Amino acid sequence: MTFKQYLLSIKDKKYLKKMNKNLKKGLIVIVVLIVVGYFTFPIIKDYLVNNLGKRDVQSEEAVYTLKTKDIVAEFTANEATANEKYLNKPVAISGVVTSVNDKEVIIDEIGICNFTTANATLKAGQTVTIKGRVVGYDDLMGGLNLDQCSINK
C-alpha cells in the first residue's frame, strides 16, 4: 500500500465514521417522531373531530322543508343529484312517527332521525316535522339518514 492509498483509506474511514454518526442521529430522530406521533395522534384526532367543524344544526334555518316520502323519492330517482342538493344541509322533513328508540326516531318507515339527546315527547303515530342534517341515503334499506335532529317548531 502506498502512502497515497493509505491517506485515502484514512479519509474514507473518517468519512464513514462521520456518516455513521449522522445516520444514527437521523434514525434516532425518526424513531422519536414515530413514538411521539403514535401516542399523540389519537389525542389530536379526537380534538379535531369533537371540537372543530361541529355545527349547531338546531340554530340553522332549514334550507328545504318537505315530506319524508318526497325527499326519499328524489334520492331514489337520482341519488347523485339529490346528494348535491341535500347532503350536509339542514332539512325539515314531515311525516308520521313510525317508531321511537331512545335517540332514534323513524318517520314514515324511511326517515331515520338521530337526536343528540333522547326525546320523550315523541310517540308512534304522531305527525311531526323534524329538522336535521342529511348525512346520506341508504339505497339498500331505502332510508334517509339525518343527524343532529330537533323537533321543528
Side-chain angles (χ1 to χ4, degrees), residues 128-152:
V128 69
T129 300
I130 293 178
K131 180 173 62 171
R133 179 179 67 127
V134 177
V135 291
Y137 174 72
D138 183 0
D139 56 349
L140 183 63
M141 300 299 280
L144 177 69
N145 295 306
L146 288 90
D147 71 351
Q148 300 182 35
C149 293
S150 63
I151 298 173
N152 205 15

Side-chain angles (χ1 to χ4, degrees), residues 18-34:
K18 193 178 206 181
M19 190 172 80
N20 283 338
K21 284 182 183 179
N22 289 338
L23 185 62
K24 286 179 186 176
K25 287 178 185 176
L27 286 175
I28 289 171
V29 168
I30 289 172
V31 168
V32 168
L33 287 174
I34 289 172

Side-chain angles (χ1 to χ4, degrees), residues 12-81:
D12 288 342
K13 286 179 186 176
K14 286 181 182 177
Y15 176 74
L16 286 175
K17 282 183 183 179
K18 193 178 206 181
M19 190 172 80
N20 283 338
K21 284 182 183 179
N22 289 338
L23 185 62
K24 286 179 186 176
K25 287 178 185 176
L27 286 175
I28 289 171
V29 168
I30 289 172
V31 168
V32 168
L33 287 174
I34 289 172
V35 169
V36 169
Y38 178 78
F39 289 107
T40 59
F41 178 74
I43 296 167
I44 294 169
K45 180 182 157 244
D46 287 343
Y47 175 78
L48 292 175
V49 167
N50 293 325
N51 296 316
L52 297 179
K54 220 175 195 180
R55 294 171 53 180
D56 183 16
V57 175
Q58 294 176 3
S59 66
E60 294 179 29
E61 193 69 33
V63 178
Y64 298 99
T65 302
L66 58 165
K67 294 183 182 194
T68 309
K69 292 178 181 181
D70 294 339
I71 190 170
V72 169
E74 285 188 53
F75 273 98
T76 306
N78 190 342
E79 189 172 349
T81 305

Side-chain angles (χ1 to χ4, degrees), residues 1-13:
M1 179 186 291
T2 66
F3 184 69
K4 189 175 185 182
Q5 289 173 335
Y6 175 74
L7 287 175
L8 285 174
S9 69
I10 292 174
K11 194 178 195 182
D12 288 342
K13 286 179 186 176

